[in-house]
Amino acid sequence: MSNLLEATRVTKRFGGLTAVNDLSFSIPRNSIVSIIGPNGAGKTTFFNCITGFYVIDEGDIVFDGHSIKGKSPDVITKMGIARTYQNIRLFSNMSAIENILVGMEPRLHSPWFGPVFGLRGTKEEEEKANVDANQLLNFVGLRGKGDTLSSSLPYGDQRRLEIARALAGNPKLLLLDEPTAGMNPRETAETTEFIRNLRDEIGITVLLIEHDMRVVMGISEDITVLDYGQKIAQGPPVEIQGNSRVIEAYLGRGAAGSAQLSLKHQEAA
Amino acid sequence: MTRKEWSHLIRIGLLMGLAVLVVSVIGMVEKFNERALIVGYLTLGQLLLYIPALYAGYTSVPAGEHRAMPQRLLGGVVVGLLAVMPVILLILVASSWPGIRSYFVNISPNMVKILTAGKGVGPGIGLLAGEMAALGLIGAAIHLIPDRIRKPIVTAIIFTVGFALFSDVSLNIANQLFARKTVRVLFGTKGITPLATVIVFVISLVAASLWTWKGREAYARRQANMSSEQAKRSQRIATTVLMIVLLTLPWVLGVFLTDVLDRVGIFILMALGLNIVVGFAGLLDLGYVAFYAIGAYVTAIMTSTGNLGMGLSFWLAVPVAVVAATMAGIILGIPVLRMRGDYLAIVTLGFGEIIRVLVRSDLLKPVIGGAQGILNIGRPTIPGLTFTTPQHFYYLILLACLLAWFISGRLRDGRIGRRWMAVREDEDVAEAVGINLVITKLLAFAMGAAFAGLAGSLFAARVGTIFPNSFELLISINVLCIVIIGGIGSLPGVVVGAFVLVGLPELLREFDEYRMLMYGALLIIMMLVRPEGLWPSPITRREMHAAEENAAAVEAEHSSDIRAAVEG
Amino acid sequence: MTLTQRLRGIDWISAALWVFRAVIIILVIVGTVRKLFLGVGTQYTTQDWLDFISSGLSQGGLYALIALGYTMVYGVLFMINFAHGEFFMSGALTSTMLVASTLSRSGFMNEQPIIYLVIVTVAAVLTSMAVALLTERVAYRPLRRAPRLVPLITAIGASFFWQYFFRGLFGSEIKPFPVPAILEGWITIAGITFLKVRFVTLVASLIALILLYLFIMKTKTGKAIRAVAEDKDVATLMGIDVDRTIAMTFAVGAGMAGIAAILWALVFRQAHFYMGFVPGIKAFTAAVLGGIGSIPGAALGGLFLGLIEAVGPPLFLEGLGIPAAHQLKDVTAFTLLVLILIFRPQGIIGERLAEKKA
């Protein structure tokens, strides 16, 4: 099967509001795929459906050949989906390294009572976890900051730490919710490069929600546009840029012409 | 002095005056006056009057403000006099209207006599006012002494007063070590003699001076220069010394104090358990006493030789009691798995109350004895010894506490500890990084309940008879307070907390009526002054710090949370 | 979604909770049926049942009045004010000791019973308010930004402090509360006979509840309280003094507790320093039953709790053949609390506040 994730006709309602409506969506293996859309389009809700925060009302989501419908977030994470959050949600009173160690949960298997009896397996697993966590810390460029309290790290470092925590569980699919929000152009460029490396070097499939069009257009192979919970367009960046429905959704009818120009301009820059 | 300074003085003075009035009106002064601190010179009741005046004088100069000496001293006298005003009014009212006693039971002629030092109303008031003004003056003057000298003196005074207050401890020890005659020279029936006061003061003054002038620096230097090898060795030595002290303690302290230690130990055991639930996993449990009760009742039923019991061995009962409490922890844990914060606290409180009422009711009387309780609970035996005295039980309880400490520490530092911490920080994210909330939370409840069950089991065996009213909501609250006052999530904190909240009140048992009053005041003051606890864990210290500084940031984050929710 | 799909979606925890709920409901139904149709246990006359109901309702009115304090404070601060029961106690005890006993000794009580009741109530209300304001100022206000456990502990501390403060002030014995002669005996209305005090209690608490509701909905202070409950920051921007409003909330809640205190003393004819604890917990239960944060909810929750407590034990507990069922009154109350919190945390009415803020 070529698609890592296959969502078919997913619908999620909150009371009278349909946040995600009849959405079909697929992520090929080893790709970088983006979801864009105006505020309130249902992007984060869809993320929450994939990660099991919300139970979907209709449709099905199949990940790596198994349905994840109705499964709890921890089970889904153990199947290989990890995520970051739009507003960073680190364990703020834990150190950077502790955050990563918690992120390793999906691949730790020693019994809880191991430390009490000093079991060898437990000790070895913990030691290896510590080594791996430090490697991961270095990988995301936080060398030497392992003992820093995560809430006292600078903003950009917090974003990177959150990605490191997500990577710690060896996910197959990484969901990034606005990873460059609040970053300056240089940091944004670094992060974009970093995401590309994740795919190219480690082979992780990435699903991205992003507002910064430069990032989206620069690294995505496929873009899905949501508006009012519905898919209004899908295709490679070049197609999406020229799609008048997309521009309409973002800027309203009539603005389409000028917006098209500005998007093109952005890409050129 | 400016108007602002005057209003500061008046506020402090009257506030302390109110404090003096309160302790007098509710009878604390009268009751505490029966207790000598320095035989013939100072009673605890007098101390109660003097401390507010001293404190008023001390705080009459706001920290960080520089002011001329005469003004400072004048301020001290003023607050001292203000602090005495309300109580002078009280003396006048009480001495001219004896009928007031039918309204306020504790405004008695004896109280007036104590306040006026038995010298009649007029001269007495003059004397009291003079004393308080002098104390205000002294309080203000303390600031004038240079740091180097002030610190040792204040330390020595506090230590001496503390020594006199808890003279029972040293008296019990002295009784075991010295002849009666020597003891008589140093201790009264309550409190210590002037001679002992001088000795204690001088010794503590010398020690405090040496520490302030030389010791602290030398110690810091040695610590800094120690190689890791040396550090390890000194830690090993410290541990060995501690173990020896712990093992010989009951024989040094005598029966009475060991009994107090046993009570403290049982609370340490419970608090170590609740610390896992509240401190590590962040689940606020107010029905904790239920598991203690289950442990106690299972042990009682299995070992009692009375008509309700089975007369089995204690050693057989302990594991069964622990398992039963653990099962109960899991069963009561299931319905509350999805609850958070306050709701969790309320439901657990509800469970605790349900169990308490059931234990007391006629419904279960045929099994657990109802209000009459269970008598003749079997004592633990090992070949050649039956556990009967507090000293015997001390070792049993010590063993249990060490075990609980060891298990708590190991779990906290291991994988499950990290999971608990993550759940405590952010449940949703914890679940999203692959933590199974059900297992993680139930493990916390189960471990906590197991420790409480063990504590209950030891309690039952120690007292020999259990009644439903040993398992009030108050126990849950007490244990929670131990965990929080000690420092939430901190193992040494639990021990310190138990000694402060269980040990000290036991030693001051003669003031039973005012025990809970002081307990309540202590809780409030502690939370205002030192919310992180007496011996906080590193995490709590971070958290409390963050809470103050980042309050605004958190709020901002909160609103963006809402925005995110709206957007989703 | 088909039924099988839906069933597959249920995990074992939900299943366990459903079993728990089913067991309780079955026990209640079985008990009721056995009592009413098979005649298990003591047989009660219609008058007996009416007595249970009327005393339950009047007790419920008292719970409702006390519950208001919990619910209003929770509304503005999201904190469980554990010391609220002591506000209630302080009013009852102080009024009994300083005012009621004097007025009854001088004979004023039976000469002017109405004025007597007004005076003792005012005294109780003022005391409760003073104690509440002092507690708020010293033990809660400095801790607005502290982690949630911290004010919980100070509340517990304040509770102990006040109990033993008033014990020191007035002594530890149970004090008789003088009841005017006009409230003795029974009254018959529409063919139903009530104990007079019970009737007065119910009517008085209903009036107080309605007045409070009007106060909250119509007056400027009431609107400020609602604004602060909704959003403190926005309220500040609107020019509302948040600290003052929170203090007002405490004062109003404590005032209601003061009224309840006198009604309670009329019914039970006594006051003592420990009397705040049980009503406190019960009223708190009532507040949660109705949906904490909601004022009509507190009223409904109180009445409902009073009723269940009074009727439950003779009805379904005796029906189950439980000996001395009245002892399990509290079990009924707390089981109800636990059930409500598990299955309908937002209470009978009211929105789900705690989830959002926890």
Side-chain angles (χ1 to χ4, degrees):
Chain A
M1 210 173 135
S2 65
N3 285 340
L4 182 60
L5 183 128
E6 189 83 57
T8 35
R9 315 201 65 171
V10 172
T11 299
K12 174 69 200 171
R13 294 186 203 91
F14 296 104
L17 179 85
T18 307
V20 175
N21 192 2
D22 202 24
L23 179 65
S24 294
F25 181 81
S26 59
I27 307 175
R29 270 173 212 278
N30 235 328
S31 63
I32 299 180
V33 173
S34 293
I35 301 179
I36 63 171
N39 281 329
K43 306 183 296 278
T44 300
T45 306
F46 185 55
F47 255 41
N48 286 338
C49 290
I50 297 178
T51 51
F53 271 32
Y54 298 149
V55 179
I56 56 178
D57 295 319
E58 279 164 43
D60 196 11
I61 300 176
V62 174
F63 174 72
D64 211 10
H66 303 279
S67 169
I68 57 174
K69 185 175 176 179
K71 291 208 161 66
S72 66
D74 58 306
V75 175
I76 292 174
T77 305
K78 281 181 187 135
M79 290 169 72
I81 300 181
R83 72 171 291 185
T84 67
Y85 299 84
Q86 186 179 346
N87 42 321
I88 304 169
R89 284 175 83 173
L90 287 165
F91 300 112
S92 53
N93 291 310
M94 295 166 82
S95 67
I97 201 84
E98 283 169 338
N99 266 281
I100 297 180
L101 283 170
V102 171
M104 278 183 182
E105 270 305 311
R107 51 173 157 139
L108 300 181
H109 302 288
S110 64
W112 63 272
F113 49 81
V116 175
F117 301 106
L119 299 184
R120 252 228 341 261
T122 308
K123 218 180 262 174
E124 281 164 7
E125 192 185 77
E126 282 291 298
E127 276 162 15
K128 185 169 180 310
N130 263 299
V131 172
D132 290 355
N134 271 305
Q135 267 176 7
L136 204 50
L137 202 68
N138 297 342
F139 177 69
V140 297
L142 294 174
R143 186 183 294 274
K145 293 184 181 171
D147 292 329
T148 315
L149 198 59
S150 69
S151 58
S152 42
L153 285 171
Y155 183 82
D157 286 358
Q158 289 196 19
R159 282 250 176 249
R160 274 194 287 253
L161 178 58
E162 213 189 18
I163 295 177
R165 183 180 69 189
L167 291 176
N170 280 345
K172 294 170 190 149
L173 173 64
L174 180 63
L175 311 186
L176 299 173
D177 199 343
E178 297 198 25
T180 67
M183 286 187 171
N184 63 31
R186 196 178 54 83
E187 286 171 330
T188 305
E190 279 172 17
T191 308
T192 313
E193 196 49 42
F194 178 75
I195 294 170
R196 211 196 307 268
N197 280 345
L198 281 183
R199 197 264 311 263
D200 294 349
E201 284 170 24
I202 316 181
I204 292 176
T205 310
V206 177
L207 173 62
L208 195 68
I209 291 180
E210 186 54 74
H211 273 306
D212 189 330
M213 286 306 146
R214 219 174 321 184
V215 176
V216 175
M217 299 301 164
I219 57 173
S220 321
E221 278 127 32
D222 187 82
I223 299 175
T224 297
V225 188
L226 295 189
D227 193 20
Y228 292 110
Q230 267 169 323
K231 180 151 88 176
I232 57 171
Q234 189 198 350
V238 197
E239 254 175 54
I240 295 298
Q241 272 174 8
N243 189 316
S244 60
R245 272 191 79 188
V246 175
I247 297 157
E248 200 177 288
Y250 265 94
L251 299 171
R253 207 173 292 269
S258 58
Q260 199 167 357
L261 281 174
S262 80
L263 277 173
K264 282 225 166 105
H265 179 74
Q266 263 191 7
E267 199 210 10
Chain B
M1 271 187 269
T2 64
R3 224 177 116 211
K4 204 179 125 210
E5 284 163 353
W6 275 111
S7 82
H8 173 77
L9 288 184
I10 291 172
R11 218 175 36 233
I12 294 282
L14 287 183
L15 201 66
M16 288 301 122
L18 200 67
V20 176
L21 183 70
V22 164
V23 292
S24 307
V25 169
I26 62 176
M28 267 175 105
V29 172
E30 191 181 339
K31 179 77 187 174
F32 280 32
N33 205 51
E34 290 163 15
R35 170 69 147 84
L37 285 178
I38 301 165
V39 178
Y41 287 89
L42 184 69
T43 68
L44 193 56
Q46 284 166 314
L47 194 68
L48 211 54
L49 291 175
Y50 295 159
I51 284 178
L54 207 58
Y55 180 79
Y58 186 75
T59 49
S60 63
V61 188
E65 274 185 39
H66 294 283
R67 226 174 272 166
M69 188 160 57
Q71 267 190 15
R72 284 186 175 191
L73 298 182
L74 175 70
V77 174
V78 169
V79 290
L81 285 175
L82 281 171
V84 81
M85 287 305 162
V87 79
I88 287 180
L89 213 64
L90 173 69
I91 295 171
L92 292 175
V93 171
S95 54
S96 57
W97 177 30
I100 192 174
R101 212 182 167 183
S102 61
Y103 296 99
F104 298 99
V105 283
N106 280 310
I107 303 183
S108 62
N110 189 32
M111 179 205 79
V112 175
K113 210 172 123 196
I114 291 163
L115 289 175
T116 54
K119 294 200 164 48
V121 174
I125 287 177
L127 183 67
L128 186 63
E131 281 173 354
M132 300 289 263
L135 285 165
L137 182 74
I138 294 173
I142 292 174
H143 292 285
L144 301 175
I145 310 170
D147 248 18
R148 265 168 69 80
I149 305 172
R150 190 181 67 207
K151 270 189 191 152
I153 292 182
V154 172
T155 314
I157 290 177
I158 292 176
F159 184 79
T160 311
V161 170
F163 187 84
L165 182 58
F166 299 108
S167 61
D168 274 355
V169 180
S170 25
L171 178 64
N172 268 293
I173 298 172
N175 266 332
Q176 312 234 337
L177 299 178
F178 304 116
R180 248 190 123 69
K181 251 187 186 165
T182 331
V183 176
R184 274 279 173 72
V185 177
L186 298 172
F187 295 95
T189 40
K190 287 286 168 190
I192 54 178
T193 60
L195 175 67
T197 313
V198 173
I199 296 175
V200 171
F201 181 74
V202 169
I203 292 176
S204 52
L205 184 64
V206 170
S209 316
L210 285 178
W211 173 250
T212 320
W213 298 340
K214 298 261 172 62
R216 188 198 304 250
E217 277 170 35
Y219 180 76
R221 215 176 311 127
R222 243 197 77 207
Q223 286 279 318
N225 292 338
M226 235 184 326
S227 66
S228 67
E229 189 65 24
Q230 275 171 317
K232 222 177 256 171
R233 216 181 62 202
S234 82
Q235 203 187 353
R236 220 172 17 239
I237 294 172
T239 316
T240 316
V241 171
L242 183 71
M243 283 317 293
I244 292 171
V245 168
L246 283 177
L247 288 175
T248 50
L249 208 53
W251 308 105
V252 178
L253 292 180
V255 176
F256 168 71
L257 289 177
T258 309
D259 196 46
V260 172
L261 268 188
D262 288 356
R263 283 164 200 265
V264 173
I266 283 179
F267 271 93
I268 290 178
L269 196 52
M270 269 199 279
L272 282 172
L274 189 65
N275 189 44
I276 292 179
V277 184
V278 181
F280 294 170
L283 306 163
L284 185 52
D285 186 344
L286 287 180
Y288 192 59
V289 68
F291 312 120
Y292 179 60
I294 288 169
Y297 270 99
V298 168
T299 309
I301 291 168
M302 286 184 70
T303 66
S304 168
T305 50
N307 46 8
L308 288 173
M310 311 183 203
L312 297 168
S313 155
F314 172 77
W315 305 112
L316 195 64
V318 170
V320 178
V322 171
V323 169
T326 312
M327 294 307 291
I330 293 172
I331 290 168
L332 294 191
I334 290 171
V336 300
L337 278 175
R338 288 176 187 155
M339 282 178 202
R340 292 175 188 200
D342 290 348
Y343 279 18
L344 177 64
I346 302 159
V347 172
T348 48
L349 186 142
F351 279 143
E353 287 297 284
I354 289 173
I355 289 191
R356 184 182 64 86
V357 177
L358 282 179
V359 166
R360 200 183 283 262
S361 71
D362 289 354
L363 175 63
L364 296 178
K365 195 169 176 179
V367 192
I368 59 175
Q372 277 80 46
I374 297 181
L375 314 175
N376 302 324
I377 296 167
R379 303 285 189 176
T381 50
I382 49 175
L385 175 73
T386 305
F387 287 74
T388 45
T389 67
Q391 270 119 332
H392 297 150
F393 277 103
Y394 170 84
Y395 290 104
L396 213 51
I397 292 168
L398 178 67
L399 187 70
C401 286
L402 289 176
L403 187 72
W405 173 294
F406 174 78
I407 293 176
S408 302
R410 282 293 180 89
L411 290 181
R412 177 196 57 195
D413 296 337
R415 182 176 152 224
I416 184 71
R418 278 199 309 270
R419 277 156 65 182
W420 282 331
M421 218 182 336
V423 169
R424 179 177 123 97
E425 294 269 316
D426 190 332
E427 229 179 277
D428 295 332
V429 179
E431 196 175 18
V433 295
I435 292 174
N436 184 329
L437 290 185
V438 174
I439 289 177
T440 306
K441 285 184 174 183
L442 285 185
L443 260 175
F445 281 125
M447 288 308 295
F451 288 4
L454 180 59
S457 191
L458 289 169
F459 171 76
R462 187 179 78 94
V463 292
T465 318
I466 54 172
F467 303 106
N469 56 4
S470 309
F471 308 100
E472 297 280 340
L473 174 66
L474 200 61
I475 306 264
S476 298
I477 290 179
N478 212 340
V479 175
L480 179 69
C481 290
I482 290 173
V483 171
I484 291 169
I485 293 281
I488 192 163
S490 151
L491 300 184
V494 163
V495 177
V496 174
F499 271 97
V500 171
L501 293 186
V502 180
L504 291 192
E506 286 293 335
L507 290 179
L508 301 175
R509 228 174 213 296
E510 40 195 316
F511 310 120
D512 215 21
E513 305 157 54
Y514 301 105
R515 210 155 59 132
M516 295 311 291
L517 181 95
M518 294 189 282
Y519 188 100
L522 176 73
L523 289 184
I524 297 175
I525 294 169
M526 267 298 297
M527 288 297 106
L528 291 175
V529 179
R530 209 179 151 79
E532 72 271 33
L534 293 167
W535 192 320
S537 71
I539 296 163
T540 326
R541 211 173 295 152
R542 296 174 201 165
E543 196 178 18
M544 292 287 167
H545 217 63
E548 307 236 312
E549 285 179 3
N550 300 347
V554 169
E555 232 136 79
E557 202 177 303
H558 194 82
S559 60
S560 71
D561 254 357
I562 293 165
R563 233 179 292 132
V566 170
E567 201 230 13
Chain C
M1 220 191 316
T2 66
L3 186 67
T4 45
Q5 268 178 327
R6 203 171 287 201
L7 283 177
R8 215 178 297 140
I10 293 174
D11 53 323
W12 65 274
I13 296 170
S14 310
L17 294 181
W18 276 96
V19 169
F20 176 58
R21 172 149 67 171
V23 167
I24 301 270
I25 291 175
I26 289 170
L27 281 180
V28 168
I29 293 174
V30 167
T32 311
V33 168
R34 279 169 53 115
K35 180 87 204 178
L36 294 182
F37 300 107
L38 303 177
V40 177
T42 329
Q43 288 308 298
Y44 298 106
T45 61
T46 313
Q47 179 62 40
D48 288 336
W49 286 113
L50 285 175
D51 282 349
F52 288 139
I53 292 172
S54 69
S55 72
L57 282 178
S58 98
Q59 190 66 16
L62 296 179
Y63 290 151
L65 281 183
I66 309 172
L68 282 174
Y70 284 107
T71 232
M72 289 171 64
V73 167
Y74 195 90
V76 294
L77 286 181
F78 301 106
M79 95 172 239
I80 302 172
N81 176 19
F82 254 92
H84 189 65
E86 310 324 322
F87 302 167
F88 163 86
M89 173 277 293
S90 68
L93 196 55
T94 310
S95 186
T96 306
M97 285 302 283
L98 299 187
V99 185
S101 60
T102 317
L103 293 181
S104 83
R105 240 177 290 151
S106 72
F108 181 82
M109 175 176 82
N110 283 321
E111 287 163 23
Q112 298 288 348
I114 305 291
I115 299 177
Y116 163 81
L117 287 176
V118 171
I119 294 175
V120 289
T121 308
V122 168
V125 167
L126 290 180
T127 314
S128 295
M129 281 182 170
V131 168
L133 287 175
L134 206 62
T135 310
E136 195 271 333
R137 181 70 192 79
V138 173
Y140 301 153
R141 193 180 298 180
L143 300 171
R144 290 279 151 76
R145 297 196 171 260
R148 296 167 67 89
L149 265 180
V150 172
L152 181 77
I153 296 292
T154 54
I156 292 171
S159 177
F160 288 151
F161 180 86
W162 288 123
Q163 261 179 39
Y164 287 84
F165 172 81
F166 280 98
R167 174 186 156 143
L169 209 55
F170 297 126
S172 57
E173 318 80 38
I174 292 174
K175 325 283 181 210
F177 182 84
V179 179
I182 52 157
L183 287 181
E184 304 287 355
W186 300 76
I187 186 173
T188 305
I189 291 164
I192 303 169
T193 313
F194 299 96
L195 260 180
K196 264 190 198 165
V197 273
R198 285 293 191 189
F199 182 73
V200 168
T201 311
L202 183 57
V203 172
S205 41
L206 288 180
I207 292 172
L209 286 169
I210 291 167
L211 286 180
L212 180 94
Y213 188 73
L214 291 177
F215 172 79
I216 293 292
M217 297 320 268
K218 301 282 179 215
T219 64
K220 205 173 158 195
T221 317
K223 282 177 186 158
I225 291 176
R226 278 188 291 144
V228 170
E230 198 67 35
D231 190 325
K232 281 193 214 37
D233 298 331
V234 176
T236 314
L237 291 179
M238 301 315 240
I240 294 170
D241 182 344
V242 172
D243 275 341
R244 222 189 120 252
T245 310
I246 290 173
M248 269 310 289
T249 313
F250 272 87
V252 173
M256 287 311 204
I259 297 174
I262 292 302
L263 296 174
W264 190 283
L266 281 173
V267 173
F268 294 94
R269 293 158 182 270
Q270 62 179 39
H272 53 98
F273 79 99
Y274 200 63
M275 72 186 285
F277 180 71
V278 173
I281 291 198
K282 291 288 181 56
F284 178 67
T285 306
V288 175
L289 284 183
I292 195 153
S294 149
I295 289 170
L300 266 180
L303 292 173
F304 185 54
L305 181 69
L307 202 58
I308 286 280
E309 255 190 17
V311 177
L315 187 63
F316 47 81
L317 288 185
E318 277 188 20
L320 288 171
I322 290 171
H326 63 274
Q327 290 176 334
L328 298 188
K329 195 174 77 166
D330 292 359
V331 172
T332 333
F334 290 121
T335 308
L336 190 65
L337 171 78
V338 170
L339 282 178
I340 288 273
L341 282 179
I342 293 173
F343 295 106
R344 201 177 154 77
Q346 67 271 44
I348 301 171
I349 49 178
E351 0 158 26
R352 199 179 178 120
L353 277 168
E355 192 71 16
K356 191 164 70 186
K357 301 281 179 179

